[in-house]
Structures are given as C-alpha cells and as structure tokens.
Amino acid sequence: MSVVLAVDAGGTSTRAVVVDMSGRSLGYGRSGGGNPVSSGRAAAAESLAEAVGGALGTAGVAASSVSSVTIAMAGAATHLPPADPSNDAIGDALGACGVVAPFALRSDLLAMFCAGTPDLDGYAMVAGTGAAAIRVRGGQVERAVDGMGWLLGDSGSGFWIGHAVARAVVADVDGRGPSTPMTPALLGMLDLTPTETTRTVPRAPALQQLVDVVYAMRPVRLAQFAPLAFAYPRDPIARQIVDEAVGALARTITAAVVPDVDGPLVLGGSVLLRQEEVSTAVEKTWRARGRTGAAHLVEDGTAGAAVLALRDGGTVVDGEVFGRLVSSLAALR
C-alpha cells in the first residue's frame, strides 16, 4: 500500500501524519519544535525524526511504503530546493526513520489555509508567535503579506505584543512610564521581586535583573508575555497595546484582499484562536472589503499539510476526501 507522509513543522511543535491516497489518516506523531530557524538545525532534525517515527509506528506501515513527503514550515527554507545544503538536516532526519522518498517544502500558511477548507481560492491569516496573511488562488500562494520575522515585521503577533508588554513594564519600573498591573504580573512570571532604588544603587535591582533576563532570551520568547496585554482590559496601557495589535493585523489582512477572490478566510495561531476580540476584528475588517465567504478557525496546519501531500500525489481533495481526512486525523490525536 502506498502512503504519503505530511509534516507540519512549527516553532513550538512538530506534527506528522501518514495518510493513504483516499485521504484516510493512518498514523500520527508529535514532538517539539521542528523549524530550523527558531529551534536550530540539530534540535529541529531530532523533533522531525521523533514525529515521523511516531506517525509511522502508529500507522503500522513500513517506511518504504511512503511514496512522498510534504513538509510545511515557516522560513526561508521553503523558498529553497530540497537539495540545498541548508535542508540537509531534513533529509538526514527522514533517512534516520528509513524514509527515502523525496520531500517537498511548502508554506506553513498554505498548510493552514488547506487545514480549514478544500477550496482552492481564499485567504489565510496566522497570528501566533509571528503574524502573516496570504491570498490563495488555484491552490497556490499568490500574495503573502508580512511574516517578516521579529526584527522586521510580524506586526500584531504574539512576539510583537509581548515585546510591547515588556517595554511598558520596563518603563514603569524605570519611572519613565505609567504604572500598569502588567508589571507585577510579568515580574512574577520571571520570579523577580520589585525593589526600590537606593542611594547607593543607581538602578533598581529588579530592573537590572529584568534587563539581564530578557536579553538572555531568544527574541521570540517575548511572546510568552503577550497574554498579559489581554489579562487587564481596564488598564489603559494594556488596552493600547491590544488596540495597536488589532490595527496592525487589520492592515495586514487588508493588504492581501483583491476583488476577484472572495473567500473563505482561515484563521490560526494563538492570538487569533485564544483572543476572540482579535479574530472578530480581523474578520470584520476582511468583510468590510466586500468578502462574503465563510470564516474558519483551525488549531494547526497538520490536516493542511496532508491535503498538500495528497494533491502532490495526484489525489483530488474534494469535500468528501477533506472530510475523511479531518475526521480520521481527529480520531488519532
């Protein structure tokens, strides 16, 4: 029996699924972050091998029966051919599991879109650690907006919000910004205790410790502070951060819309999934541009990676196949 292997390699977790050509999910595996950009090559390869091994094991199929592999992930690797040296770790991880079939790298945002609908045209937005939107036409990404990473973009993302929270807290402790309840909450998350500046110490010890701890983090880890902005809706500082994030995401989805592509709209990522006011505002902005399609929330792009794998293998993924895929995958999780 010939099967395809689909992998959704995210910055936080990696999910793999083995699917037969009718769209039936046979095996599922999960592990840690599998994106080489955010996790590093060695750690990403280890996570990929663990997830793939788990999927093959639960499916009860031989690695030799895998006819093709489709891997959805964020980052520049999706723009490079699989044979590029920067992708050697992926080939090595698959080889360690006995998988010798060729692999294709696809956009994680396209996988997110395909996880929400079998339609070939529409839009997707993700706002998790990062943030981006795409327009899909004919099953391919026609336009991508933002997703430029923590240094140049990802406006409205979990990182973007968390960074704003951290800056507000630092300004509060430093005495050059207004007081905010986010300050004791963030210091508590880092096990730091607020202290006053003394005559012999020019800077409050807690502030110096906060600076040291934050600068020691990988920048994307600032996303862990994002929930604090939503935890205090009556705090004007937190409210301003949320409002600016909503505005940024609204501008991103607006930039993707064209008159001749209606929908649907697929939304994913922790900010959109966990914060209803944000997803509602994004959908409202999208509809204000004349869009009338359905809106879907999806937890991750695993099913979408499988859709792409099936299409790469020649299977037409209609509503029936899509329904079979989604329901059988849900039963395995």
Side-chain angles (χ1 to χ4, degrees):
M1 176 180 63
S2 178
V3 298
V4 294
L5 174 64
V7 181
D8 180 28
T12 303
S13 62
T14 301
R15 298 160 291 268
V17 60
V18 174
V19 184
D20 68 21
M21 301 312 294
S22 74
R24 186 165 57 97
S25 302
L26 305 175
Y28 175 77
R30 179 169 180 161
S31 61
N35 189 300
V37 176
S38 57
S39 300
R41 286 192 185 185
E46 183 177 347
S47 294
L48 178 61
E50 182 180 347
V52 168
L56 291 171
T58 56
V61 300
S64 58
S65 65
V66 176
S67 60
S68 66
V69 182
T70 298
I71 301 174
M73 67 167 58
T78 57
H79 304 293
L80 300 173
D84 189 275
S86 64
N87 291 321
D88 286 348
I90 296 174
D92 291 344
L94 294 172
C97 297
V99 177
V100 296
F103 67 90
L105 294 174
R106 307 297 290 273
S107 161
D108 64 325
L109 267 172
L110 182 58
M112 184 74 72
F113 175 78
C114 294
T117 176
D119 290 4
L120 297 176
D121 301 330
Y123 303 88
M125 166 169 270
V126 62
T129 300
I134 57 171
R135 179 175 69 248
V136 180
R137 192 190 298 267
Q140 301 295 327
V141 177
E142 182 177 72
R143 171 83 163 102
V145 183
D146 206 349
M148 300 296 181
W150 64 269
L151 185 60
L152 298 176
D154 286 345
S155 299
S157 67
F159 163 79
W160 189 95
I161 297 169
H163 186 204
V165 169
R167 289 174 64 90
V169 168
V170 167
D172 178 6
V173 179
D174 202 28
R176 54 186 170 82
S179 176
T180 169
M182 296 186 294
T183 296
L186 188 148
L187 294 177
M189 289 176 66
L190 300 177
D191 293 325
L192 302 178
T193 303
T195 55
E196 296 294 331
T197 303
T198 67
R199 293 182 180 179
T200 58
V201 182
R203 178 170 288 167
L207 178 57
Q208 188 59 61
Q209 293 170 17
L210 174 58
V211 171
D212 292 342
V213 169
V214 170
Y215 271 101
M217 294 179 181
R218 293 177 67 92
V220 294
R221 288 197 59 210
L222 289 175
Q224 68 183 295
F225 305 135
L228 297 180
F230 299 95
Y232 302 98
R234 296 184 179 180
D235 173 41
I237 307 304
R239 186 70 255 168
Q240 180 180 355
I241 292 172
V242 171
D243 289 345
E244 290 179 356
V246 168
L249 294 173
R251 290 189 292 273
T252 296
I253 193 62
T254 297
V257 174
V258 292
D260 62 336
V261 176
D262 186 24
L265 171 66
V266 178
L267 302 172
S270 57
V271 174
L272 291 169
L273 290 174
R274 310 291 179 252
Q275 307 300 335
E276 185 177 356
E277 67 172 299
V278 182
S279 58
T280 299
V282 168
E283 182 183 349
K284 182 178 179 180
T285 298
W286 180 73
R287 294 199 182 282
R289 301 282 294 182
R291 304 309 90 192
T292 62
H296 307 285
L297 289 169
V298 297
E299 286 287 341
D300 58 62
T302 310
V307 168
L308 293 171
L310 289 169
R311 287 177 177 163
D312 288 345
T315 297
V316 175
V317 182
D318 56 15
E320 180 181 352
V321 173
F322 182 76
R324 182 184 305 122
L325 170 62
V326 170
S327 61
S328 60
L329 176 59
L332 290 173
R333 292 191 192 238

